[in-house]
Amino acid sequence: VSVVVTQLQRKKRKEIVIKCIEICKNFLDLNNFMGLQAVISALRHAAVSRMKKLFADIPSHVLKEFDGISEIMSPFGNFNLYR
């Protein structure tokens, strides 16, 4: 969270968020669900998710991938998709 929030340039923030989403994909491939949950939680944190212009700059296909990964780790249904 702090890495994204403390960055002053929007372009750098965008690069950091895209890199975090790539890390999520790698964690999922490695079945590292604890690391995956940590990165998802950081990107879903209120301080980051309020940055609407930042997420508007990120390509839609990247955000769709992140939403799909986030859905897998969703706590709804007692982590049904995760199991």
Side-chain angles (χ1 to χ4, degrees):
V1 175
S2 63
V3 174
V4 176
V5 175
T6 58
Q7 188 56 247
L8 299 177
Q9 298 175 355
R10 201 160 88 188
K11 183 178 179 181
K12 290 284 188 184
R13 284 181 183 169
K14 175 183 151 185
E15 292 172 2
I16 292 169
V17 170
I18 290 173
K19 185 66 174 176
C20 287
I21 294 170
E22 290 174 9
I23 291 170
C24 283
K25 290 189 276 186
N26 290 334
F27 278 150
L28 186 60
D29 290 342
L30 295 171
N31 293 330
N32 184 344
F33 298 110
M34 297 304 282
L36 178 61
Q37 187 65 38
V39 176
I40 289 173
S41 296
L43 292 176
R44 295 282 186 206
H45 190 274
V48 177
S49 64
R50 284 189 303 229
M51 297 179 179
K52 301 296 181 190
K53 291 180 182 178
L54 169 67
F55 286 99
D57 289 345
I58 296 174
S60 62
H61 71 279
V62 175
L63 289 176
K64 285 181 184 177
E65 288 177 358
F66 178 66
D67 288 340
I69 293 170
S70 296
E71 189 176 316
I72 291 170
M73 297 303 292
S74 174
F76 297 110
N78 198 21
F79 293 93
N80 193 25
L81 295 174
Y82 167 67
R83 294 172 191 237

